[in-house]
């Protein structure tokens, strides 16, 4: 199993990380999302640009659904994993229409650029 990040939502986050010369953080807590380590903030203090995994956005997906999907893929513990936005998979996503597929084992994260399909949208 894996989670999908839509490229249309992820590209602004990656561009912000590159512009701010910082890392991208994959977070699992209240949902599963990617954000720039140093990004613009909204008036309420939350990060402005956040890319949620499809089905893991607590603002739009029912709690039981996003929580279970996040737990199945990433386990029960919250975490933040710091990633280099200059890494090949992110560079490919920045320069294409691709989406990002993320899967995990107990010891590894796998990031793969995937062509968008109507099922991904």
């Amino acid at each position: 199993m894996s989670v999908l990040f839509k490229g249309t939502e992820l590209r602004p986050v990656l561009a912000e990380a590159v512009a701010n010369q910082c890392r991208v953080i994959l977070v699992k807590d209240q949902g599963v999302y990617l954000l720039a380590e140093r990004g613009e903030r909204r008036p309420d203090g939350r990060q402005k640009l956040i890319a949620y995994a499809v089905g893991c956005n607590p603002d739009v997906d029912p709690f039981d659904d996003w929580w279970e999907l996040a737990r199945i893929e990433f386990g029960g513990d919250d975490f933040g994993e710091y990633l280099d936005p200059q890494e090949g998979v992110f560079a490919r996503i920045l320069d294409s229409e691709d989406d990002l597929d993320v899967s995990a084992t107990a010891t590894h994260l796998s990031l793969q650029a995937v062509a968008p399909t109507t099922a991904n949208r």
Side-chain angles (χ1 to χ4, degrees):
M1 186 163 194
S2 63
V3 296
L4 182 77
F5 291 88
K6 292 181 182 178
T8 53
E9 295 176 16
L10 182 55
R11 277 185 280 287
V13 170
L14 296 175
E16 181 176 53
V18 169
N20 291 338
Q21 299 179 350
C22 64
R23 297 173 291 183
V24 173
I25 310 170
L26 172 64
V27 180
K28 181 208 170 259
D29 57 11
Q30 289 291 49
V32 176
Y33 54 94
L34 285 156
L35 71 162
E37 184 176 23
R38 290 188 305 271
E40 185 179 349
R41 299 276 176 180
R42 299 184 328 192
D44 66 3
R46 289 181 66 189
Q47 190 106 353
K48 186 176 181 182
L49 295 175
I50 298 175
Y52 281 94
V54 174
C56 291
N57 182 342
D59 293 335
V60 298
D61 299 309
F63 174 82
D64 289 341
D65 295 347
W66 73 254
W67 188 87
E68 184 65 12
L69 178 58
R71 186 195 64 74
I72 288 169
E73 189 54 43
F74 299 108
D77 294 334
D78 293 349
F79 70 85
E81 183 71 28
Y82 291 79
L83 306 165
D84 182 353
Q86 306 286 350
E87 183 180 307
V89 69
F90 292 135
R92 177 176 168 181
I93 289 168
L94 273 170
D95 294 332
S96 72
E97 297 297 314
D98 287 347
D99 294 333
L100 177 68
D101 183 79
V102 178
S103 59
T105 67
T107 58
H108 291 87
L109 283 174
S110 176
L111 309 171
Q112 181 178 353
V114 295
T117 66
T118 54
N120 295 352
R121 298 289 167 202

